[in-house]
Amino acid sequence: MTQEAETSDLDHLVGEWLTLPEVAERLGVVVTKVHNMIRDRRLIALRRGENNVRSVPAQFFDDRGLLGSLKGTIIVLSDSGFDDEGIVRWLFTEDESLPGRPIDALRAGQKAEIRRRAQALAW
């Protein structure tokens, strides 16, 4: 699969993306704080579109802000060998056994189940 096809596939899975300035506005912080959140693995940003702009999936946020369960889940998936794109792809891919997508389960408060599944991926 070409990089363009992979990008299109990922865009289809994720749907809405937010640029880093949009994330900063949504959280009410300066954009450098968003950069720190990415560095600290509280968020994942991927380069998207023809301008290669760093963007974050909009589903990483709810009415209160950043999903609290996201950081630990990112760390577990990273420890299981996933790169940032792989983490986003796993979170947004349908899983018949859930049912639904892991990101939807996180948003519904099923943090323990999603992390258990993420840990199992390392074995």
Side-chain angles (χ1 to χ4, degrees), residues 31-92:
V31 76
T32 54
K33 185 125 179 153
V34 176
H35 288 274
N36 291 341
M37 293 170 79
I38 294 166
R39 184 195 67 223
D40 295 341
R41 306 297 286 158
R42 291 178 57 204
L43 266 181
I44 292 176
L46 298 176
R47 296 207 175 267
R48 316 297 318 139
E50 61 185 57
N51 292 332
N52 216 21
V53 175
R54 289 174 69 186
S55 301
V56 175
Q59 292 287 309
F60 283 179
F61 303 89
D62 61 17
D63 296 345
R64 297 176 306 266
L66 181 63
L67 291 177
S69 58
L70 191 61
K71 179 181 180 179
T73 304
I74 289 170
I75 290 169
V76 169
L77 288 166
S78 292
D79 289 349
S80 295
F82 284 75
D83 63 10
D84 287 354
E85 184 175 322
I87 291 170
V88 172
R89 190 173 296 283
W90 185 82
L91 286 169
F92 285 85

